[in-house]
Amino acid sequence: MHLNGQQSAVQRCLRISEISGEICEILCVSGHGLAALARLAQTCKFLHETAVPVLWRQMRGLKPLLKLFPEGTWTEEHTGFRFTNPAALDWTRFQHYAHSVRCLVWRQDHTDIPIETLAALSLHRPRSEPLLPQLCSLMWHDSREDYAAFIHMFLTPSIREMRINTVLLDPAATAALFEHARHACNNVEVLELHAGISRTLRPLHPVADDALAKYLRSLTSLQEYHGVIILSAKCVEALGTRPNLRLVQELYALPEELEAATAAATSLLATGEWFKSVELLVLRLSRFSASSQAFLATIQSPTVSEVFISVVHGPADTSTLQEHMQVFTSAPFRHSLRTVRVEFGYDLIWYDDPAYLSVMHARTVLRPLLDLQQLDTLIFRTPRWDLDPATLRDISDAWPMLKTFSVAGGFRICEHEESKTNGQCVTLLDLVPLARKCPDLLSLELHLCALEVPTIDDAEVQHLLGPGPSRCGLDALRVFHGPIRLEDADAVAKFLKRLFPKLQRVDYGSCVEEDEEDEDDDVLDLPLRTGYHESAGWEEVQRLLQDYQMPAQATGQT
């Protein structure tokens, strides 16, 4: 396209950088993608200058940049991209386009660049500036430890988001990485460290841990921390004193380290300089302990809206869990807290330790939280969970803004063929208070017994349901280990539809992963009586609910 004095209106518009820039952005995310953007860049000088920064802004691997080196200096074979004479490389074109790269995504399954190529780059690259001088986001997802030694090449002061997912085993190499990062990129606002498989994580070597603690202290602008790495007391303390830290996606520390960090923070509590800006806290524990309870009590932020506690190994009794919940009622964030989530490692409930099979009593655990009327999301997943009808009524009264409520365990707590020593199951009729008093409820997960189906026309049931249609907006119901007769599915579906007019999805599931080839059904989906089967019954309920929707949609009704 030649732009001259006889420019058309379209040509004049294309010379407006905001318009041409928007076109490039649209092309970048369109179905034609980068190929169309590359063709646009070849049309004229002006559009070339506009399109090239967008074209090179995000890189998946380094190969497109490496191919800018002169022909004859590299080869690309089945063994990957290799240099033939790395000492004689002309870096002019590489450096020109490298200035446009803002995001580098390095994935082990997307790259075929041998370790020797990275070594050559590291050895022969110009020292006058970083490899990608304007890089803002580094996403490194590569479990090969020898490749992690070259992360330092991409660290620049311009990086604001750094996500490192690799295996950190060698203490010296790990310490060198954190030390280099402390000097090269301490303006990071989002930091993610994933140091291996969570189930096999081990604390860092003291040398590497000390380097990480120093790096965390240097990040004065840090706003988000994501960690699948065991932190020492020094590292927890470093995070706790970051003034702008808002999101702590996963803080994993052993009880003794958590206790030491809490003790070290005592001098900061009076000034409120300890986790003072946190809005989201995800705490990963090996087990509930006095140290975890004390740590939660030290959080100074008045704006925490969500707390998620993931317990990896040890079980907890009802009183211990209640004591942790009690902390929230006197915390500085008691008025801002909206979401509480507690989950235990379900792979461990198969152990023979009877402590894993002890029942958590919802009435005791949730009692402290009933005073926090602003709560809208409650998720508790334990090996065994006892939710009785009276507690469900209290919940309906206490949390009128409830949107998500999930209480479930990996084992059955109600066997109608046996004594109810494990607790009392919630029945269909017990759901009425939720339907009447929680209009914002969207998702519900619980143990539910559907062996007793209320008759909608019964006078007592009508009184409980109240006049007029239900205002509850529940859309999804998931039933864990819910006894139901297949022949009662129609009656169950109609009653649920009366309670929750907007209900569209009913799922049957278990808190533990079911193995289709596992012939041991003692805990999962064992029929409680001859003639009915749980999953089949709830699948029929779901099918009937979909059938009920079709006539309403055909007539335009809701």
Side-chain angles (χ1 to χ4, degrees):
M1 178 175 61
H2 179 67
L3 303 180
N4 51 39
Q6 303 299 321
Q7 294 175 350
S8 67
V10 172
Q11 291 172 328
R12 291 195 300 272
C13 288
L14 288 176
R15 292 192 65 85
I16 300 174
S17 59
E18 289 82 0
I19 295 177
S20 57
E22 184 65 23
I23 292 173
C24 291
E25 295 291 345
I26 293 173
L27 283 176
C28 188
V29 298
S30 69
H32 302 288
L34 298 181
L37 194 58
R39 289 194 295 270
L40 181 66
Q42 298 172 15
T43 56
C44 69
K45 181 179 179 181
F46 179 80
L47 290 179
H48 180 272
E49 294 174 350
T50 305
V52 163
V54 180
L55 186 64
W56 289 91
R57 184 171 55 198
Q58 178 169 315
M59 298 294 301
R60 294 187 176 274
L62 282 179
K63 189 182 295 184
L65 275 172
L66 297 181
K67 288 185 175 182
L68 295 175
F69 287 113
E71 292 184 6
T73 61
W74 54 270
T75 62
E76 188 177 15
E77 302 173 351
H78 67 279
T79 57
F81 187 100
R82 297 178 182 275
F83 293 117
T84 56
N85 188 7
L89 292 176
D90 182 355
W91 289 80
T92 304
R93 295 182 68 208
F94 182 101
Q95 289 180 306
H96 174 77
Y97 289 101
H99 275 267
S100 297
V101 178
R102 298 294 184 269
C103 175
L104 174 64
V105 180
W106 180 284
R107 302 187 67 91
Q108 180 174 340
D109 54 346
H110 287 171
T111 179
D112 56 354
I113 299 178
I115 192 75
E116 295 81 7
T117 302
L118 287 182
L121 277 177
S122 178
L123 179 63
H124 298 286
R125 65 187 176 93
R127 304 299 171 179
S128 58
E129 63 179 18
L131 200 63
L132 304 174
Q134 300 299 322
L135 191 66
C136 297
S137 179
L138 173 61
M139 315 288 190
W140 187 278
H141 304 279
D142 195 327
S143 61
R144 297 170 293 185
E145 188 180 12
D146 52 350
Y147 275 69
F150 296 98
I151 295 176
H152 71 275
M153 287 196 303
F154 307 103
L155 301 183
T156 72
S158 58
I159 291 180
R160 297 296 181 268
E161 179 182 17
M162 184 164 68
R163 301 180 186 272
I164 305 297
N165 186 339
T166 188
V167 176
L168 301 175
L169 297 177
D170 181 77
T174 303
L177 172 62
F178 291 138
E179 185 66 19
H180 190 94
R182 183 163 66 94
H183 295 287
C185 59
N186 52 19
N187 297 314
V188 171
E189 298 173 357
V190 178
L191 175 65
E192 178 178 340
L193 296 175
H194 196 303
I197 302 173
S198 57
R199 294 183 183 180
T200 60
L201 282 180
R202 296 291 182 270
L204 291 176
H205 187 278
V207 172
D209 179 79
D210 184 64
L212 175 58
K214 291 179 180 178
Y215 179 51
L216 291 175
R217 291 192 191 101
S218 73
L219 301 179
T220 56
S221 301
L222 187 64
Q223 297 182 26
E224 300 181 26
Y225 169 78
H226 309 242
V228 182
I229 185 171
I230 298 180
L231 298 178
S232 68
K234 290 186 295 184
C235 293
V236 174
E237 183 181 356
L239 279 178
T241 54
R242 297 309 85 207
N244 301 309
L245 185 61
R246 298 184 301 105
L247 306 180
V248 181
Q249 291 284 25
E250 189 161 342
L251 191 156
Y252 188 9
L254 300 177
E256 58 272 19
E257 299 296 335
L258 210 55
E259 181 179 4
T262 303
T266 304
S267 60
L268 300 172
L269 299 183
T271 60
E273 296 297 320
W274 180 252
F275 289 101
K276 69 175 187 178
S277 303
V278 171
E279 299 172 8
L280 165 67
L281 174 63
V282 180
L283 185 61
R284 187 178 180 89
L285 305 173
S286 59
R287 64 181 184 274
F288 274 119
S289 63
S291 61
S292 58
Q293 181 180 342
F295 175 78
L296 287 170
T298 64
I299 303 299
Q300 297 293 294
S301 171
T303 58
V304 176
S305 62
E306 180 175 352
V307 175
F308 177 16
I309 304 175
S310 173
V311 184
V312 181
H313 298 303
D317 54 39
T318 296
S319 61
T320 300
L321 189 51
Q322 182 202 32
E323 290 166 359
H324 280 72
M325 298 302 103
Q326 187 70 47
V327 170
F328 300 147
T329 63
S330 57
F333 53 84
R334 60 187 177 276
H335 299 302
S336 62
L337 185 64
R338 292 187 174 276
T339 297
V340 177
R341 181 172 177 176
V342 179
E343 292 190 1
F344 288 79
Y346 290 108
D347 57 322
L348 300 172
I349 64 176
W350 303 102
Y351 287 4
D352 294 331
D353 186 350
Y356 285 102
L357 306 182
S358 61
V359 177
M360 292 283 188
H361 298 287
R363 172 169 289 275
T364 303
V365 171
L366 298 180
R367 185 181 296 122
L369 300 178
L370 295 178
D371 293 332
L372 307 181
Q373 296 188 0
Q374 76 278 4
L375 291 178
D376 60 31
T377 301
L378 274 294
I379 300 174
F380 285 81
R381 301 226 173 121
T382 70
R384 282 186 180 246
W385 187 261
D386 168 28
L387 175 66
D388 61 273
T391 302
L392 200 58
R393 289 194 294 271
D394 292 343
I395 289 170
S396 304
D397 292 331
W399 299 323
M401 294 184 287
L402 195 61
K403 295 179 180 178
T404 299
F405 184 63
S406 173
V407 286
F411 284 85
R412 221 184 287 280
I413 62 169
C414 174
E415 301 288 4
H416 273 238
E417 299 296 331
E418 303 172 1
S419 63
K420 296 182 180 180
T421 55
N422 287 335
Q424 183 179 1
C425 252
V426 170
T427 66
L428 291 169
L429 200 59
D430 296 327
L431 299 179
V432 172
L434 285 176
R436 293 189 61 185
K437 299 179 180 180
C438 300
D440 297 329
L441 187 64
L442 297 175
S443 176
L444 179 63
E445 298 181 340
L446 76 173
H447 293 273
L448 179 64
C449 178
L451 294 181
E452 299 175 2
V453 186
T455 303
I456 297 178
D457 296 333
D458 183 83
E460 183 178 352
V461 175
Q462 287 287 348
H463 175 73
L464 290 174
L465 293 174
S470 169
R471 297 184 298 112
C472 185
L474 185 72
D475 171 76
L477 170 66
R478 192 175 192 198
V479 178
F480 291 95
H481 307 311
I484 183 175
R485 297 181 185 86
L486 185 58
E487 60 267 26
D488 290 339
D490 184 63
V492 171
K494 288 179 179 177
F495 186 78
L496 288 175
K497 199 64 178 176
R498 172 65 176 84
L499 287 183
F500 310 113
K502 296 183 180 180
L503 184 63
Q504 297 186 31
R505 190 172 72 255
V506 173
D507 296 325
Y508 169 82
S510 167
C511 289
V512 292
E513 292 296 328
E514 301 190 24
D515 188 346
E516 295 180 358
E517 299 180 358
D518 193 350
E519 297 178 358
D520 183 5
D521 287 328
D522 290 341
V523 177
L524 296 178
D525 197 20
L526 178 68
L528 299 183
R529 290 180 181 171
T530 303
Y532 69 88
H533 192 277
E534 289 183 12
S535 61
W538 290 109
E539 287 170 4
E540 179 65 9
V541 170
Q542 168 64 14
R543 187 190 67 79
L544 290 168
L545 285 173
Q546 292 177 339
D547 289 345
Y548 298 157
Q549 291 289 332
M550 294 178 62
Q553 293 173 355
T555 59
Q557 299 174 356
T558 57

